[in-house]
Amino acid sequence: MRIGYGYDVHRFEDGGPLILGGVEIPFEKSLSGHSDADVLLHAITDALLGACALGDLGSHFPDTSEDFKDIDSRVLLRDALTLVEEKEFSIGNIDATVVAEQPKLSSYIDEMRQVIAKDLKVDVGQVSVKATTSERLGFEGKGKGISARAVVLLTGS
């Protein structure tokens, strides 16, 4: 068994779309980043890579490479899964939390779980996504961006 932890943060910028967990969320801002800046999928991807001691998102998909400019983070997540499978591990479960004052995410959580489960080839019951605020504290609470944390349990090898 292996456990991995991932964290990511992106600041807001004007315009959309806002993508979280592979789902487009109606909002007047998007997240700034080299890729689509899906902070939730980035945290999960980092957790998967970390559990296998394979480095992090930036070492596999550097933001200095035009190959990854505006890339859909679902592609990066699936690529990380391939690396996990090459090490003969499988996903036991994922537990992730998004921290955002706005927008409210509760009505999108089930769809995010379904997208993540599909991309990782697991049952939706193995994927937990939660959303919380920071009670108006810190950069998230001031509406400057969104952060996400993820923990993954791998079994096998």
Side-chain angles (χ1 to χ4, degrees):
M1 262 192 261
R2 297 279 187 101
I3 298 170
Y5 172 78
Y7 170 81
D8 197 38
V9 60
H10 286 276
R11 64 181 160 76
F12 281 126
E13 63 183 13
D14 291 332
L18 174 62
I19 308 293
L20 290 173
V23 175
E24 189 169 323
I25 313 276
F27 194 58
E28 67 269 7
K29 296 180 180 181
S30 61
L31 293 172
S32 177
H34 187 69
S35 66
D36 65 5
D38 188 328
V39 68
L40 175 56
L41 294 189
H42 291 181
I44 294 170
T45 302
D46 258 353
L48 289 168
L49 294 170
C52 290
L54 293 171
D56 62 12
L57 190 71
S59 63
H60 290 272
F61 316 107
D63 64 6
T64 54
S65 172
E66 285 301 309
D67 291 340
F68 306 113
K69 179 76 174 141
D70 299 321
I71 195 167
D72 183 337
S73 293
R74 292 178 68 187
V75 172
L76 307 180
L77 182 68
R78 291 188 298 259
D79 286 353
L81 177 63
T82 299
L83 296 172
V84 167
E85 291 171 336
E86 287 173 357
K87 293 283 188 179
E88 299 182 1
F89 286 104
S90 59
I91 296 170
N93 74 299
I94 295 166
D95 186 20
T97 303
V98 178
V99 182
E101 207 67 34
Q102 289 291 324
K104 296 300 180 194
L105 301 173
S106 59
S107 61
Y108 303 98
I109 297 293
D110 286 340
E111 186 178 357
M112 289 180 202
R113 291 177 61 222
Q114 290 170 16
V115 167
I116 294 164
K118 178 182 177 186
D119 286 347
L120 294 178
K121 301 186 265 184
V122 298
D123 184 81
V124 72
Q126 293 170 266
V127 178
S128 171
V129 174
K130 303 175 300 286
T132 190
T133 70
S134 63
E135 299 295 328
R136 297 190 182 127
L137 297 173
F139 73 91
E140 301 104 330
K142 293 176 182 168
K144 294 184 178 184
I146 296 177
S147 68
R149 292 120 176 103
V151 178
V152 63
L153 173 68
L154 300 182
T155 59
S157 205

